[in-house]
Structures are given as C-alpha cells and as structure tokens.
Amino acid sequence: MITVSIRENEEFIKLGQALKKAGVVGSGVDAKFVIQDGQVRLNGEVETQRGKKLYGGEEISYNGETIKIEK
C-alpha cells in the first residue's frame, strides 16, 4: 500500500494529483486518461472525476496498487 499525505497547508488533494504523487502515473495527462477510462476506483467505486477532492481516509485502487490518502 502506498500512502499519500495531503500537504499541511492544504485542505484536500485532487484525485489526479494523488495518483501523480503516489508515482503510479507519469503525468497529469496520464492521470486524466486512466481516470476518464474508468480504470481508477475510489473507495471501491469507479471514479471518473479527475478533480474529485480527497480529504483523507480514502483508498484509491489503480493498476494493482492501493493508495491511502492521509490528512
């Protein structure tokens, strides 16, 4: 499991940014395509909004990896 922390001065992180920060995609463009293609699950459900705000406690699944969002 990969852990991604929200920056201390930020309230949330967007889904595309979280995938990039976790290192499972190479760029924001890559994140956009895998999210739009329905390849990303957020808390077990397919999520197609790249700008979905994550506040901590969520789990992202993509390409066999699980990413936990921490505040």
Side-chain angles (χ1 to χ4, degrees):
M1 180 178 293
I2 301 167
T3 303
V4 171
S5 296
I6 299 171
R7 289 185 194 162
E8 199 172 299
N9 59 343
E10 300 288 332
E11 185 179 341
F12 60 85
I13 188 169
K14 293 181 181 178
L15 180 57
Q17 293 170 331
L19 291 175
K20 239 173 68 175
K21 193 170 181 181
V24 296
V25 295
S27 69
V29 173
D30 293 338
K32 175 182 177 179
F33 289 130
V34 300
I35 293 167
Q36 286 181 344
D37 288 347
Q39 298 178 40
V40 177
R41 291 186 168 269
L42 178 63
N43 298 326
E45 301 289 325
V46 172
E47 181 57 63
T48 57
Q49 294 180 46
R50 177 175 146 203
K52 179 77 173 177
K53 295 177 183 177
L54 311 176
Y55 294 92
E58 296 91 348
E59 279 192 7
I60 303 166
S61 300
Y62 167 67
N63 201 24
E65 296 283 355
T66 301
I67 304 155
K68 178 79 172 175
I69 306 299
E70 288 186 348
K71 184 68 179 156

